């Protein structure tokens, strides 16, 4: 139910899911942190990352989010994925 309510306000994620571009597991993960401002980036990330990778990203984001009482870690890294790019990160 949480995912369905979130999709009502996130048209880019809803469209990618409806088109079969991203799986339900990926949608479930990214809707935990999605906002209209982040939506396009999250859809792009979901096209290339596995559901498990997205779960990890979301979990770490939530731990570092000051709005949720978290503190950013000095080890936080921002990455941008381009279509066709393959990248690996160690944290």
């Amino acid at each position: 139910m949480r995912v369905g309510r979130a999709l009502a306000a996130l048209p880019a994620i809803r469209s990618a899911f409806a088109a079969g571009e991203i799986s339900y597991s990926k949608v479930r993960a990214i809707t935990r942190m999605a906002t209209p401002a982040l939506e396009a980036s999250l859809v792009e990330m979901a096209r290339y990352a596995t559901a498990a990778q997205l779960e990890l990203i979301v979990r770490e984001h939530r731990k570092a989010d000051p709005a949720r009482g978290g503190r950013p870690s000095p080890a936080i890294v921002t990455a941008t994925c381009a279509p066709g790019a393959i990248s690996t990160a160690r944290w």
Side-chain angles (χ1 to χ4, degrees):
M1 294 223 336
R2 180 196 61 77
V3 173
R5 285 191 297 269
L7 288 176
L10 301 165
I13 295 173
R14 185 174 61 241
S15 294
F17 179 49
E21 296 172 16
I22 57 177
S23 69
Y24 176 78
S25 296
K26 292 179 179 187
V27 170
R28 184 182 62 226
I30 64 176
T31 55
R32 289 188 182 112
M33 67 181 275
T35 64
L38 289 176
E39 185 180 17
S41 296
L42 291 171
V43 168
E44 189 65 21
M45 190 182 324
R47 287 187 176 115
Y48 299 99
T50 67
Q53 290 168 329
L54 291 170
E55 291 284 354
L56 176 63
I57 291 165
V58 170
R59 185 173 38 239
E60 294 302 319
H61 178 269
R62 292 174 83 178
K63 286 193 319 191
D65 185 359
R68 297 178 187 269
R71 292 186 325 168
S73 166
I76 297 293
V77 176
T78 302
T80 303
C81 294
I86 299 174
S87 63
T88 304
R90 290 182 186 220
W91 301 351

